[in-house]
Amino acid sequence: MPSNIRSLPRNLILALLHPWTWRMAWRDSRAQRIRLVVFSLAIVSGIAALVAIHSLKASVQRGIEEQAKSLLGSDLQISSRDPISDRDMAKLTALARNISRETSFPTMLRFPNGGTRMVQIRGIEGAYPFYGNVETRPTDAWSKLPGESGILLEPALLDQFQAKIGDAVEFGNLSLRILGVVEKPAPRASRFSSFAPEAYVRLSDVSRSGLLGTNSMSSQQVHLQLADPLQSSVLKEKIRADFPDSPWRLETPEDRRESLGDALEKFQQFLGILALASLALGAIGVASAVHAHINRRVATVAILRCIGCPGHLASAIYFAQAGALGLLGSLLGAGLGIGLQIGVLAYFRDRLPVTISPSPEWTAVAQTTAAGFIVCCGFSIIPLLKIRRISPVAALRGGAVLEGGAWRALPIYLLLGGLLMVLALINDPDWKTALALVGGLGIAFVALAGVARALMWVTRKVVGPRWPYLLRQGLSNLHRPRNQTLLFLLSLGLGTFLMVTILLATNLLNQRLKISQSAKSPNLYLIDVQPDQLTGVRSVIEKLKLPVLESAPMVTMRIESVRGVPVREAAGVPLWVARREFRSTYRDSMNETETLSAGEWHKTVTDPNGPVPLSLEEKIAKDLQVGIGDELTLDVQGVPVKAQVTSLRQVDWSRFNLNFFMVFPLGVLEGAPGFHVVTTRTASPAESGALQRELVMDFPNVTAIDLTQILQTVSDILAKISLVVSLLGGFTVLAGLPILIGTLLNGREVRLRESVLLRTLGASAKQVRTILVIEYAALGFLSALTGILLALAGNAALAEWVFKVSPVPDFGLLSAAFAIVTGISVIGGLALSRGVCSHPPLEVLRGS
């Protein structure tokens, strides 16, 4: 590392502590205050974008977190097959602000027309659900249930048995009046918590029915609402510690997110990309503005050097200006960012289906303002370093400019890269993702610098005297002294790369969300289809012109041991795993909602004498603390089966396809007792009821599970995310446009002076304007082309490794971006020529 770079921080700090530095910074600003205000506006724009994006991110994240709780209905849910004692209930009640109890079990329900149907009774006591609403017809039916003996049923049941509200139905010793139908149900304990339609009653009525004492299939749920919802994960661990021997299954809203698949995770990653991009855009504007400001002060610095001012002290003067204006700009930008955040949320409040309070996110504001200020100061160091190399002789030379020396500033670039890495890690703790984002910015920076150098070399070597004068003059400006090719391509090219990447990433995430909301996702499961009934059931579905989406065999089993240790004694394995019946399947291929994350997929059994190959879902493998090569012993309805984990799968649970924790190859479970599950999709409750009536005639054992309302809840949340994604992406792009326009205006003084010289030599205003347009058209064309090509590479990487979707971009968007960036550059060139004709050449040459 050069000694002048190594000693810079110490000398600069010492110089900044000297009162003379600040007096000189104030005096020097007298003639430049209007330009310094413009420089400050670049900082204001960058910090405002950064604060607004981060605040919007925090607000939206909080809003969606609250909305996601509607999938669970509480802050913590405890499930148990055994009754929970009064003593344990008292302890749990002391931990929560509100508590609700639920008992559920399957039983036969008798209808007035004599028909019977197995239903899942859900007896509820308390105000559950605490988050989200249960929608009924009539609308007050749910509120009547706690104080009035009665029952609420699913619409398809009334349609199937020609029952109506007010009729009486019987289960056990009770005859209950139908109070209404449930159009949007309370959250289930799990997706397959029952193989029957749900019916809601009071918990006290369950006790009166006489069925609970002898029903071995009953399950207990305790729903807790906490005073501080953010402590749900902490309380979950506390309960596990306080009740170590209880085989309870604990679930928080964070655990329930699997119902959304990876949508929220992708949304988080998208927000991280936005935040880093907005920060980089602001840094580009700051570095460009500081460079332009210092370029104007070269003569002043040279005079200071002539009277004995050392280089580090001269740098400190302008660093003090940059720091003071940076602080002022950061504070103003923070205020503007808060205003933008509140304004956007207030304006879209009625249009967003997610509830977001339009209030400042003070933690996000403080963090991002400080981070933005540090980054702005850091990026301003790069042009300030060049002050140290301004020679005193520059005072005698007119038109002296800052010289290059990018390699000398390499340590500063590395320092800034490290700072960006830290900020990326704040957005996403995954260091690989953070490194990829910062590395992508670094690659784009190097690529654009290379294109700028290549452009200067080509124009120097290729453009000759035989070229038309105006074309030769415009292209020669790209390599002459005082050229702005490198700065322009870096600023405009990086800005184009970032903004087009944001737009493409917005499309990628929306594409990913549309996949999660695909029409191929089933909403009706047909359970307990026997092997000899499979063809007949499919025929009934097709007769009603409904699609047969999937069909899979299902075999129930338990886990006996993990790596030879009984599962109840295995260290770190939750007790609920030992009590759970796993419904598994066998097939020779993965479906479209699965991705192989480790190991090798086996279609058939390769070694008949060895353990059976087994594919596990990633999360259950983590709960079991097993990996590739580990062995499990499974109890398949009384028959022990030794299996070896040969692959792990990542499953997208959001699409409600037939996914399983355990998947076996063919040739293992075909002889085991089991049944098939067939899925379809109905467009209305009437279609669902018609299908169930047809099935009950020929296949009375087949049970239909209607997941329409659950799918609608998930779809609503995904739609909210999609809308917010488009909003944030567009906002970031709009915030970046002023920074790009500022890049064009930073070189105005240099080009104005050169244009006046041409006018002095006899060039007409039209010729000067043509020369400028040619120069800026060439710069804009290459900036747009390089930025878009880099964005395409970034889009391919994001599509492959982050969003897992097709990398095919929107070519209409790319064409529009190319035309807009090139157009902005050309318009900037025309704007620069305005002062040429309106000012006398002598006035400009005197520096007035």
Side-chain angles (χ1 to χ4, degrees):
M1 185 188 300
S3 60
N4 62 330
I5 298 294
R6 191 164 51 244
S7 61
L8 175 62
R10 180 175 57 85
N11 291 337
L12 190 59
I13 292 173
L14 291 175
L16 287 172
L17 295 176
H18 202 289
W20 181 85
T21 301
W22 294 93
R23 287 198 301 270
M24 285 299 298
W26 175 254
R27 291 169 181 168
D28 181 79
S29 69
R30 290 173 181 170
Q32 300 285 321
R33 284 176 185 168
I34 294 179
R35 290 194 176 102
L36 288 175
V37 168
V38 175
F39 159 55
S40 184
L41 289 177
I43 299 176
V44 170
S45 176
I47 298 296
L50 185 64
V51 169
I53 289 295
H54 272 275
S55 297
L56 282 171
K57 170 186 172 182
S59 295
V60 169
Q61 207 167 335
R62 178 164 48 83
I64 291 180
E65 290 280 353
E66 291 291 330
Q67 192 69 23
K69 290 181 181 178
S70 63
L71 294 174
L72 185 66
S74 61
D75 294 316
L76 182 64
Q77 177 179 280
I78 301 172
S79 302
S80 174
R81 285 291 182 185
D82 299 327
I84 299 176
S85 67
D86 292 339
R87 180 180 178 183
D88 289 343
M89 278 300 305
K91 291 181 180 179
L92 294 173
T93 303
L95 298 173
R97 185 175 72 180
N98 288 316
I99 194 165
S100 180
R101 300 186 67 171
E102 176 182 346
T103 298
S104 60
F105 58 91
T107 189
M108 300 302 294
L109 194 66
R110 293 179 291 276
F111 288 85
N113 66 354
T116 60
R117 177 66 188 271
M118 178 176 282
V119 297
Q120 184 78 7
I121 294 292
R122 295 184 65 179
I124 296 178
E125 177 184 76
Y128 181 79
F130 302 117
Y131 304 102
N133 298 314
V134 176
E135 296 178 4
T136 61
R137 179 168 45 86
T139 56
D140 61 346
W142 184 259
S143 61
K144 284 182 178 180
L145 188 62
E148 182 177 344
S149 185
I151 190 169
L152 299 175
L153 300 176
E154 293 184 3
L157 284 176
L158 271 68
D159 187 56
Q160 182 179 352
F161 293 97
Q162 288 81 50
K164 60 183 182 299
I165 296 173
D167 289 347
V169 295
E170 298 178 1
F171 77 97
N173 300 328
L174 289 182
S175 176
L176 299 177
R177 189 170 63 90
I178 301 175
L179 298 178
V181 295
V182 178
E183 296 182 333
K184 182 181 177 183
R188 291 175 176 233
S190 67
R191 186 179 302 179
F192 291 118
S193 58
S194 68
F195 283 168
E198 293 182 336
Y200 297 86
V201 299
R202 297 185 304 178
L203 186 58
S204 58
D205 288 336
V206 170
S207 302
R208 292 170 50 217
S209 69
L211 297 174
L212 190 57
T214 60
N215 198 311
S216 62
M217 294 295 292
S218 65
S219 63
Q220 318 293 321
Q221 282 81 40
V222 179
H223 309 285
L224 281 70
Q225 183 185 31
L226 308 182
D228 183 1
L230 298 177
Q231 297 298 313
S232 57
S233 297
V234 176
L235 182 59
K236 177 181 176 180
E237 297 304 320
K238 175 177 172 55
I239 291 176
R240 280 180 172 166
D242 293 347
F243 301 88
D245 298 326
S246 298
W248 297 342
R249 185 170 183 265
L250 307 180
E251 193 172 13
T252 65
E254 289 75 19
D255 300 323
R256 184 55 67 93
R257 281 186 188 177
E258 69 178 19
S259 298
L260 292 176
D262 57 0
L264 283 180
E265 179 185 351
K266 302 307 180 191
F267 180 61
Q268 300 265 14
Q269 292 172 334
F270 174 77
L271 291 176
I273 293 170
L274 277 191
L276 192 64
S278 61
L279 182 62
L281 282 169
I284 290 169
V286 168
S288 177
V290 171
H291 187 278
H293 173 61
I294 300 303
N295 245 334
R296 298 186 187 102
R297 309 307 292 159
V298 169
T300 302
V301 174
I303 293 173
L304 289 173
R305 298 299 304 278
C306 286
I307 60 177
C309 179
H312 68 270
L313 197 56
S315 299
I317 294 172
Y318 296 98
F319 190 82
Q321 287 182 353
L325 288 172
L327 179 61
L328 178 61
S330 296
L331 295 176
L332 291 175
L336 180 59
I338 292 172
L340 287 171
Q341 175 228 358
I342 294 176
V344 167
L345 292 180
Y347 182 77
F348 286 96
R349 189 172 189 175
D350 296 332
R351 304 184 189 185
L352 286 173
V354 59
T355 303
I356 302 176
S357 174
S359 58
E361 300 286 345
W362 294 113
T363 301
V365 169
Q367 290 176 345
T368 52
T369 302
F373 173 70
I374 293 171
V375 170
C376 289
C377 290
F379 272 82
S380 67
I381 291 176
I382 298 173
L384 289 172
L385 281 173
K386 300 179 181 181
I387 291 179
R388 295 164 56 85
R389 295 189 297 278
I390 296 177
S391 170
V393 75
L396 305 176
R397 296 176 181 169
V401 294
L402 293 177
E403 298 178 357
W407 290 109
R408 294 175 178 267
L410 182 60
I412 302 298
Y413 286 117
L414 294 177
L415 176 64
L416 294 175
L419 181 59
L420 288 176
M421 182 69 182
V422 171
L423 295 174
L425 285 171
I426 293 175
N427 284 306
D428 190 337
D430 185 357
W431 69 268
K432 293 181 180 178
T433 303
L435 182 61
L437 292 175
V438 176
L441 284 174
I443 291 172
F445 184 89
V446 172
L448 285 164
V451 169
R453 296 293 183 187
L455 178 61
M456 288 187 281
W457 183 85
V458 168
T459 53
R460 184 181 293 109
K461 297 295 183 181
V462 173
V463 178
R466 296 185 178 181
W467 289 50
Y469 173 75
L470 295 180
L471 181 61
R472 184 174 75 246
Q473 188 71 22
L475 293 178
S476 295
N477 282 343
L478 300 176
H479 66 80
R480 287 176 179 148
R482 301 172 67 92
N483 74 79
Q484 54 185 349
T485 303
L486 179 60
L487 179 63
F488 197 96
L489 256 74
L490 284 176
S491 300
L492 192 60
L494 271 178
T496 303
F497 161 66
L498 290 169
M499 291 198 293
V500 174
T501 299
I502 289 169
L503 293 174
L504 292 177
T506 302
N507 288 344
L508 288 177
L509 183 52
N510 282 331
Q511 182 183 345
R512 183 67 185 82
L513 295 175
K514 287 178 182 177
I515 289 176
S516 295
Q517 302 177 75
S518 170
K520 294 182 180 180
S521 296
N523 63 0
L524 192 68
Y525 287 70
L526 303 180
I527 308 295
D528 201 19
V529 180
Q530 298 304 309
D532 60 340
Q533 296 176 326
L534 186 58
T535 302
V537 169
R538 294 174 67 99
S539 298
V540 171
I541 296 173
E542 292 168 354
K543 184 178 73 173
L544 295 176
K545 297 182 179 180
L546 296 174
V548 177
L549 298 177
E550 289 181 288
S551 175
M554 187 178 289
V555 178
T556 59
M557 60 190 66
R558 293 180 183 272
I559 298 176
E560 278 192 352
S561 65
V562 178
R563 291 188 296 272
V565 180
V567 66
R568 292 179 181 272
E569 301 173 10
V573 177
L575 288 178
W576 65 264
V577 173
R579 300 174 59 89
R580 177 171 181 145
E581 278 195 341
F582 289 90
R583 300 178 178 95
S584 305
T585 193
Y586 51 91
R587 56 174 182 247
D588 60 359
S589 62
M590 291 184 292
N591 62 32
E592 62 181 6
T593 60
E594 298 174 314
T595 304
L596 191 68
S597 57
E600 180 183 357
W601 178 265
H602 287 257
K603 295 183 177 181
T604 58
V605 176
T606 55
D607 183 6
N609 299 319
V612 174
L614 174 62
S615 178
L616 283 181
E617 189 264 349
E618 283 183 337
K619 293 181 180 178
I620 196 66
K622 184 178 179 181
D623 285 337
L624 292 170
Q625 298 189 0
V626 298
I628 302 298
D630 289 335
E631 291 191 2
L632 303 176
T633 301
L634 304 166
D635 178 3
V636 184
Q637 301 177 38
V639 178
V641 174
K642 290 188 178 296
Q644 184 179 50
V645 179
T646 55
S647 66
L648 299 178
R649 291 167 294 116
Q650 184 179 15
V651 176
D652 180 7
W653 298 99
S654 68
R655 296 169 65 181
F656 284 69
N657 295 77
L658 289 179
N659 293 310
F660 299 86
F661 288 119
M662 301 183 189
V663 178
F664 291 82
L666 299 179
V668 180
L669 299 178
E670 282 82 349
F675 54 86
H676 281 71
V677 181
V678 180
T679 65
T680 184
R681 186 176 185 89
T682 60
S684 65
E687 283 190 357
S688 176
L691 175 59
Q692 293 181 54
R693 283 196 302 272
E694 289 283 339
L695 289 172
V696 79
M697 294 172 60
D698 297 324
F699 309 102
N701 60 294
V702 174
T703 299
I705 300 179
D706 195 336
L707 299 180
T708 301
Q709 297 302 331
I710 296 176
L711 275 170
Q712 187 60 48
T713 301
V714 173
S715 179
D716 287 346
I717 295 177
L718 294 178
K720 297 165 190 176
I721 297 174
S722 180
L723 181 59
V724 171
V725 162
S726 301
L727 172 65
L728 291 180
F731 178 76
T732 306
V733 171
L734 290 176
L737 284 177
I739 296 172
L740 298 188
I741 295 172
T743 298
L744 289 170
L745 299 178
N746 281 333
R748 183 178 188 276
E749 185 173 302
V750 174
R751 284 295 166 260
L752 182 62
R753 186 180 182 87
E754 292 183 352
S755 299
V756 169
L757 286 174
L758 289 174
R759 289 272 289 152
T760 305
L761 296 174
S764 65
K766 182 179 179 181
Q767 289 176 316
V768 171
R769 189 177 296 113
T770 302
I771 291 171
L772 287 172
V773 168
I774 290 172
E775 177 186 359
Y776 279 90
L779 288 172
F781 176 85
L782 276 176
S783 298
L785 180 62
T786 309
I788 288 173
L789 289 176
L790 289 169
L792 281 173
N795 175 75
L798 291 173
E800 177 68 23
W801 291 307
V802 177
F803 298 111
K804 310 294 184 183
V805 293
S806 170
V808 178
D810 183 346
F811 289 101
L813 185 152
L814 295 178
S815 301
F818 182 85
I820 290 172
V821 172
T822 306
I824 288 176
S825 181
V826 173
I827 291 171
L830 291 173
L832 295 181
S833 65
R834 290 182 58 195
V836 176
C837 301
S838 60
H839 292 82
L842 189 59
E843 176 185 335
V844 177
L845 294 177
R846 284 175 175 172
S848 303

